[in-house]
Amino acid sequence: MLRKVTKTVKGVPAQDGAGVKLTRVLGNWTAREWDPFLMLDAFDSTDPDDYMAGFPMHPHRGIETVTYVAQGTMVHQDHLGTKATVTDGEAQWLTAGSGAFHSEMPGRARRFLGVQLWLNLPAADKMTAPPFYHGITRDQIREIDLGGATLRLLTGSYGEARGFEGRYLPLDYYDVHMDPHADVTLDVPGERTIMLFTLQGEAEVSGTHVGPKTAARVGEGDQVRLRTGDAPAEVLLMSSVRLGEPIAWLGPIVMNTDDELVRAFGEIDAGTFVRQEAGYDDRG
């Protein structure tokens, strides 16, 4: 049965970090309805002045961030000195858990194109330690020919293919490159929240037209059908498990209660925010 589109959200212009111009698609106003997906920001610019200020060192607690760089480069650094760069078609995953400080700084490129997703952590795992970083490089990304489209498996699984998997919530994350007049059906079984995002171009999702830079949530079923018109498209599909837990969110911290937020910011001010050492996770 096809999963039909139940909700769409078109991104709007915004700024974040040290003044990075971006498209904000999901945020605290959508968090409960799109659970466990908290935030989705898209970057798309040919002007380095829009993004070179980047995202200097800042804290996170209670979430995982997954950044996909379709074109350009992004340099990650964290509070323990981990430094890693992802470039065209690669991604990076940070589990902040109990607390991490990190920065993400784009490099000058002909075009900087990508997205950052914030994935919520279950209440039982929000204070997990130590945090970890994992770079998802091209040699780890399986490419699956769908006939008229190519599915790049950034994380999770598709059929028998397996990619990088986080330690907490499952996340199937597909980067689907579609030719003009493509018509493909993806198997997406299971009771999950499924979001699609039109990073480049536009597409028809199970019979519903989805315009550029727009997120679409789909309902129950076990398949999603994607079709393009006269132009190619790049569509991201993200699938994970709904938590159904309270959300208390302020800035870079996402917890379950206001008291937990107050405690987190108090620890930042006191210099006691980071609980244990983080590290570079090199699992394939």
Side-chain angles (χ1 to χ4, degrees):
M1 184 175 82
L2 283 182
R3 294 178 179 263
K4 299 291 188 178
V5 172
T6 59
K7 182 81 173 181
T8 60
V9 176
K10 182 173 177 56
V12 296
Q15 288 192 27
D16 210 333
V20 175
K21 294 182 180 179
L22 51 84
T23 299
R24 179 141 295 163
V25 187
L26 302 183
N28 52 18
W29 65 96
T30 61
R32 287 167 179 80
E33 196 172 6
W34 295 69
D35 177 10
F37 303 126
L38 295 168
M39 191 185 80
L40 184 70
D41 282 347
F43 318 100
D44 190 355
S45 178
T46 57
D47 182 356
D49 289 341
D50 288 346
Y51 58 81
M52 285 296 290
F55 303 89
M57 198 68 70
H58 59 279
H60 284 299
R61 174 177 285 178
I63 64 171
E64 302 186 273
T65 69
V66 185
T67 305
Y68 168 55
V69 180
Q71 297 180 39
T73 62
M74 182 81 85
V75 178
H76 162 96
Q77 295 189 74
D78 61 40
H79 65 279
L80 288 182
T82 304
K83 183 175 182 179
T85 301
V86 292
T87 188
D88 300 341
E90 299 181 331
Q92 53 189 14
W93 181 306
L94 173 71
T95 298
S98 61
F101 282 90
H102 82 136
S103 66
E104 289 183 303
M105 304 300 290
R108 188 177 297 270
R110 181 173 299 176
R111 182 183 184 187
F112 181 55
L113 174 68
V115 298
Q116 181 172 98
L117 171 71
W118 286 14
L119 182 67
N120 205 0
L121 279 170
D125 298 317
K126 280 190 175 292
M127 293 299 291
T128 191
F132 73 88
Y133 168 89
H134 179 84
I136 303 167
T137 53
R138 280 190 295 273
D139 60 323
Q140 300 175 30
I141 298 171
R142 296 280 301 276
E143 294 192 355
I144 301 165
D145 184 3
L146 301 175
T150 300
L151 185 153
R152 303 179 67 247
L153 181 57
L154 300 181
T155 72
S157 63
Y158 184 77
E160 298 300 318
R162 297 289 183 271
F164 171 76
E165 295 186 1
R167 298 172 180 173
Y168 303 102
L169 281 191
L171 177 66
D172 292 340
Y173 195 155
Y174 309 150
D175 171 32
V176 185
H177 292 253
M178 303 185 67
D179 298 336
H181 304 290
D183 186 344
V184 298
T185 299
L186 306 180
D187 294 323
V188 282
E191 296 181 357
R192 289 189 171 197
T193 299
I194 296 179
M195 171 175 64
L196 297 100
F197 178 67
T198 45
L199 179 61
Q200 295 193 78
E202 52 195 89
E204 182 183 290
V205 178
S206 297
T208 298
H209 176 261
V210 179
K213 300 295 190 287
T214 299
R217 197 183 71 238
V218 297
E220 296 180 354
D222 54 15
Q223 292 182 321
V224 172
R225 185 181 184 186
L226 301 178
R227 300 176 66 186
T228 50
D230 294 337
E234 182 176 2
V235 179
L236 307 178
L237 185 151
M238 307 163 204
S239 168
S240 192
V241 177
R242 181 177 177 84
L243 293 174
E245 298 175 345
I247 298 171
W249 181 353
L250 183 60
I253 311 297
V254 185
M255 303 302 291
N256 299 107
T257 69
D258 289 344
D259 286 347
E260 290 170 335
L261 287 180
V262 170
R263 187 178 307 120
F265 283 99
E267 290 174 359
I268 292 171
D269 291 341
T272 58
F273 183 70
V274 175
R275 301 299 179 90
Q276 295 185 34
E277 293 188 351
Y280 186 92
D281 184 84
D282 61 358
R283 294 175 297 152

